[in-house]
Amino acid sequence: MTSKPLATLDTSLIPRLPQSYVTLFEAKKNKKLSFEDIAKHVGREEVIIAAIFYGQAMASPEDIQKLSELLEIPQDVLESQLSGYPDRGRTMDMPPKEPLIYRLYEIVQNYGYAYKAVLNEKFGDGIMSAISFSTKVEKETDDKGDWAVITLRGKWLPYSRF
Amino acid sequence: MTSKPLATLDTSLIPRLPQSYVTLFEAKKNKKLSFEDIAKHVGREEVIIAAIFYGQAMASPEDIQKLSELLEIPQDVLESQLSGYPDRGRTMDMPPKEPLIYRLYEIVQNYGYAYKAVLNEKFGDGIMSAISFSTKVEKETDDKGDWAVITLRGKWLPYSRF
Amino acid sequence: MTSKPLATLDTSLIPRLPQSYVTLFEAKKNKKLSFEDIAKHVGREEVIIAAIFYGQAMASPEDIQKLSELLEIPQDVLESQLSGYPDRGRTMDMPPKEPLIYRLYEIVQNYGYAYKAVLNEKFGDGIMSAISFSTKVEKETDDKGDWAVITLRGKWLPYSRF
Amino acid sequence: MTSKPLATLDTSLIPRLPQSYVTLFEAKKNKKLSFEDIAKHVGREEVIIAAIFYGQAMASPEDIQKLSELLEIPQDVLESQLSGYPDRGRTMDMPPKEPLIYRLYEIVQNYGYAYKAVLNEKFGDGIMSAISFSTKVEKETDDKGDWAVITLRGKWLPYSRF
Amino acid sequence: MTSKPLATLDTSLIPRLPQSYVTLFEAKKNKKLSFEDIAKHVGREEVIIAAIFYGQAMASPEDIQKLSELLEIPQDVLESQLSGYPDRGRTMDMPPKEPLIYRLYEIVQNYGYAYKAVLNEKFGDGIMSAISFSTKVEKETDDKGDWAVITLRGKWLPYSRF
Amino acid sequence: MTSKPLATLDTSLIPRLPQSYVTLFEAKKNKKLSFEDIAKHVGREEVIIAAIFYGQAMASPEDIQKLSELLEIPQDVLESQLSGYPDRGRTMDMPPKEPLIYRLYEIVQNYGYAYKAVLNEKFGDGIMSAISFSTKVEKETDDKGDWAVITLRGKWLPYSRF
Amino acid sequence: MTSKPLATLDTSLIPRLPQSYVTLFEAKKNKKLSFEDIAKHVGREEVIIAAIFYGQAMASPEDIQKLSELLEIPQDVLESQLSGYPDRGRTMDMPPKEPLIYRLYEIVQNYGYAYKAVLNEKFGDGIMSAISFSTKVEKETDDKGDWAVITLRGKWLPYSRF
Amino acid sequence: MTSKPLATLDTSLIPRLPQSYVTLFEAKKNKKLSFEDIAKHVGREEVIIAAIFYGQAMASPEDIQKLSELLEIPQDVLESQLSGYPDRGRTMDMPPKEPLIYRLYEIVQNYGYAYKAVLNEKFGDGIMSAISFSTKVEKETDDKGDWAVITLRGKWLPYSRF
Amino acid sequence: MTSKPLATLDTSLIPRLPQSYVTLFEAKKNKKLSFEDIAKHVGREEVIIAAIFYGQAMASPEDIQKLSELLEIPQDVLESQLSGYPDRGRTMDMPPKEPLIYRLYEIVQNYGYAYKAVLNEKFGDGIMSAISFSTKVEKETDDKGDWAVITLRGKWLPYSRF
Amino acid sequence: MTSKPLATLDTSLIPRLPQSYVTLFEAKKNKKLSFEDIAKHVGREEVIIAAIFYGQAMASPEDIQKLSELLEIPQDVLESQLSGYPDRGRTMDMPPKEPLIYRLYEIVQNYGYAYKAVLNEKFGDGIMSAISFSTKVEKETDDKGDWAVITLRGKWLPYSRF
């Protein structure tokens, strides 16, 4: 658990999000829970829990049950609100204007061809899946300060021969 | 060294690249060297070596000397061609059309707000630097197949108070 | 084999294509071969053969050998030109202006959410892969005229749980 | 009938849809009906039923009557709401951000010229109609997993001579 | 008068239209009047009547009086609502996504330079006015089916010499 | 035949056009032929002849023969250059900047929904084809000056029921 | 004073305008005042008065007092609503779709470089200010009809030497 | 005649201009002629002369003869190069990046609706023509410095009634 | 303290801002406080105080306490509203339309490469941070008038070697 | 004079620059001169010298003479090449992709409204000129590292009253 302020929902994003997510963020704020706290309770990674809150990932029935317990939102309410398939990508305008997210975009812009060349030489012709995929965020600290480490791990999919 | 075909320069990219890079790619192809081979010789990461080839990173004088040796390009030619500061980002149109690079872009599009929320809760208000930054690509294999693992590691920069 | 005129390379596309493809199209034209003829000789689908000609798919060493035979282009020339990993997507501006290609784009625009809803209900949360994927074009004729039938077949990839 | 969760309407899409469609989705959710269930009752393809729900296709008087029966929405309400000509394409921003729909878009982006070349050689100068057109989605399963198969069938329209 | 269903206002267009137009469309729907019916009563072309309904053309005082009679909307209400100068073009996003309207756009995209060359040779250097302009839609039927005929008639304006 | 100056090829368009078209325009200029002259000789409409010159329409073998005669370009040269399927739409940036062409675009922008409403009421749900389509340009003169009349005639295609 | 209908506020523009402007337009409509009437009363140019109504220019305290008198809006209401610094440019999407405004835009598009060349030769290296600037609209009539004359007068600002 | 440096052709614009214009600018530079000098000789406005040099206006046979005399370019060369109808608008990217031209664009962006309202009240529903149009640039000097005055004068075109 | 009118919130920006900011601006207006007044009380720079009001910077607990005192907004209300991490960049459309902000954008557009070259020569390969960064605005007056001076001060970040 | 590598011209920018600038950069590289060296010799700021090299500022006759001396380029060559008025802004695509330049753009994006509010309160309604303007870059070093300081100083231009 962290002593930093908690992430809350920017209210200007609300029109882009299914209304149920407002409820999730409200409960998180009232309960003073970090995504790390919630992730531990649900048994999933912090990033995917945050993605569920932003309408970018699907909660399983078990996830809904655990979120219901922890956030004290009636389970049938949450079930009704979270059961649909997410319409991913709608919260974000590209290119991103938020400096933190832009830095990730810039990494793709600058190193995109380098990643492609290295991945092709290691794996052949194909892609790294963003679906059969997981990601996590870690914090490292050394004498120069804090470092954020983001790991992207995706299944390699070779192009089918046809 | 890999037995996959080597990455070569797509000739349609040439107008977007400083002309010297054509020479680098030609030499790499003729010498049948992978980026892994070159990275080992130069003592840097594969991704950054590929980034140098695509004009997205700067080669130090030592890098130039080692590239000159390995690729058998006269050192003064390489020095003259690679000594400038890169004009980063020009090779890539955004959104990327290449499926492999698009998948990375999609990760930013879909998980951008989730990364921001988790990073903010772990580190406070700031960004993960894309400059004071390193990245690497690894290959893992399990019974489900091959997995590409990309690690992004950047210094955390808090917003200055003023 | 068809008696329709053969597809040739629009010369205004040349700057967007690796130069080698000009050679392929020249040889095809001179030999008066349709993509169907070439596909039969190489043992692959017509669409993927055309995709190779437009720099959108990779030719295997066997493909290169068979193309070399049929088109009477020296094998080492073709090997040197076609061995790289394609930089896919660069030939096409989106939205497409060509009426034939626009119709396909329009199908995605109009039926995109309908496909998503039906696929989600049939398969759950995930995507149809465009990499682990094949496609073909067929012609049907009935008393109302000719019909083009395009089949898209992709592996279903469920989102990983993490 | 499928045991997967049912597709529901993402509430953030509502401002882009005629209000009546909210009612349709509500009724579908309450009745726990899949598009397959509805398609069987109405006697049309699943994709076109979903397209009607998303305001992308027109319901005939008979369709309205059958939807009214199955969904238990008064027929005159449905008639009043669904009788207009759809203003197609308004729900979708292009390029699509949703990963599932993007994959279809990517197929057009990468294989567009290949489809055109093959279709031209098979049919001559013209287009495959997206109006005099039908489409369906099927599921195949083999030892490698599940496969989605989308079929597009359109009338070939040759350019008029004038 | 036609037996086809009548055109109604897509409710998702409402935010782009002055609110008064909602009233017009409501009255048209309740009275079961086609644009042809209204055009006959008002004594103007169908297209311009529809354009008035979509806020793309200005109604004269006489038009308002006749619309008021036929649609049974109090004249002062209509006068107050329709008396302003239209802010043309706001209903339409370009490129148009609606397939019917896109076809018209495509004609401009494909034949634009051809129209220009032919008009220049017939009239000299100038333009065909879209203001000092009229248009109409007609239906023709032959053994091949129905044909829509759209006529555009604009004053030729030569560039002034200065 | 007209006494206005003839349309010639703007040389800045050349990079967007297959190179053969330069030859066509050169011959037209040297022969001092208007599109009307050429259209009469070939037996087709002026607009479509101009469209062929701009790479927006396909010439049949008979067209090529007649163009060869009239323009005194060797038939095999013309055959080799004009035999491919046009990659339509590439000459034009949208929105068009040329005032003459912009006026046509503006007509679609302003009257698009009006045309749709009137066509739907006359024909039902469908589109006017831009493929099974013809168009012509005429000149009318009255006491107010010259008028350009453009006629668009397209087959009505109803949406298929499926 | 003019006998033409008065300009009123297109209600679809309201979301782009500070709410106070709705009040201004309402009062203008009820009082049946033209911008010319208001300009005379306030002692400023018509264009700038209209610009104030559209939130594109700042009203001075004296302007507010005079507007309050003429439009019979309580002065403190108007003061509270109009005292901020305008956020200029938000009402207009560029390129403009409205035909009247597009014509002005087209003049910049077509004659922009010509204006620059002539201004540079007359004044040297610099710009014509759009801030230290005034503009007016006049009407001229001759035997050919009515002419609109727009005058733009801006201070010449030479680039500073540093 | 001015003592300011003369405007010359930015060589990076050359690919957007018909090649003949390079010749015109070369001759102007060698002869050290301002657009004012040329305008006086040809008997037209400076702006339109500059527009001819940038390929945005058509030169009449008399203009060509006078330009030929003054610039000492053989008349048949100039006739051959300038006789076509200009493809207007191609030199300029919008929004303009050049500060001088941007200021004109900004005037349209900020005052566009104000001009429309004032013009509508003065003239009714219609537009100010940009074709039946003239413009001039003048210099005024007072104790505050130099002022550029641009006058736009266009025929008022009322919308046709149909 | 200044005698100029105070900056207030343009109400059309409200949908882009978290709702709490409306309260801040209301209180500022009612208290008749300039940003300079508030900055002095809080002990931070004027620009960052304004940035907090526009949702572009984070207020620390101490800032919130001081804002609460000065603006007489209950501290718990302000804490609840301002405690989240800002979603920066959402208020601004790029390119900016507001003339004042556009001038800053234009400086980047015109001098961007010059800044880069000079910074690279002074510091090597890297960037000036916009996060580890401060900025201030000052007013200077001389006999030519008033001058605005904006200072940007950012930490130099060299690219990491990896 | 600095010991950092010198800035050179990225060859991929050449098509966007007047050709003469290639010569300038070549001479700078051969003479091993920094912009600081050149600025001292010419007696102007480093940034404006770099801007001249990138075609974004005009060199005076004296500047040309001094550049000619220092760079040993014949004066008449330089005069002929640099005498025109710059077509500013053409080298830069916006948003900038280069990370260093993007950071400046981001400052405008994030602090734009804050700058506007503070400047308005200090100066009233107007803009900071980017023409009657100077800028400089300085380096500061403290125990935390190096800091880049960019100063922007522009004349305040109040909106004219008219």
Side-chain angles (χ1 to χ4, degrees), chain A residues 38-91:
Chain A
I38 302 172
K40 274 184 191 152
H41 184 87
V42 178
R44 300 189 67 178
E45 276 290 336
E46 267 172 280
V47 179
I48 200 71
I49 292 295
I52 288 171
F53 270 64
Y54 280 103
Q56 303 301 308
M58 195 170 181
S60 71
E62 298 74 32
D63 297 340
I64 289 174
Q65 186 196 322
K66 288 188 178 158
L67 287 169
S68 162
E69 281 165 25
L70 185 67
L71 297 167
E72 294 184 59
I73 303 170
Q75 187 165 343
D76 57 340
V77 168
L78 220 49
E79 245 162 31
S80 164
Q81 290 181 339
L82 294 185
S83 65
Y85 297 97
D87 185 6
R88 289 166 169 92
R90 288 178 65 84
T91 37

Side-chain angles (χ1 to χ4, degrees), chain C residues 115 118-119 122-123 128 149-154 156, chain D residues 45-47 135-141 146-152:
Chain C
Y115 284 131
V118 170
L119 286 163
K122 281 191 187 310
F123 294 88
M128 182 185 93
V149 182
I150 297 177
T151 310
L152 315 172
R153 183 177 190 272
W156 183 259
Chain D
E45 277 290 336
E46 267 173 279
V47 178
T135 183
K136 66 183 169 184
V137 168
E138 289 161 306
K139 182 176 185 172
E140 295 181 2
T141 304
D146 291 334
W147 299 82
V149 182
I150 297 176
T151 309
L152 315 172

Side-chain angles (χ1 to χ4, degrees), chain G residues 100-111:
Chain G
L100 183 148
I101 303 174
Y102 184 82
R103 297 307 179 273
L104 301 174
Y105 172 93
E106 188 178 85
I107 290 166
V108 176
Q109 188 173 71
N110 286 13
Y111 295 102

Side-chain angles (χ1 to χ4, degrees), chain F residues 20-81:
Chain F
S20 56
Y21 298 98
V22 180
T23 324
L24 282 176
F25 270 104
E26 274 308 306
K28 174 178 182 298
K29 186 177 174 182
N30 293 338
K31 291 274 171 185
K32 295 189 198 306
L33 293 165
S34 68
F35 283 118
E36 193 182 350
D37 300 329
I38 301 170
K40 274 185 190 152
H41 185 86
V42 178
R44 300 188 68 176
E45 277 290 336
E46 267 174 279
V47 179
I48 201 72
I49 293 294
I52 289 171
F53 271 63
Y54 280 102
Q56 303 302 307
M58 196 170 181
S60 71
E62 298 72 34
D63 297 339
I64 290 173
Q65 186 196 321
K66 288 189 179 157
L67 288 169
S68 161
E69 282 166 23
L70 186 67
L71 297 166
E72 294 184 59
I73 304 170
Q75 187 166 343
D76 57 341
V77 168
L78 220 47
E79 246 161 30
S80 163
Q81 291 181 337

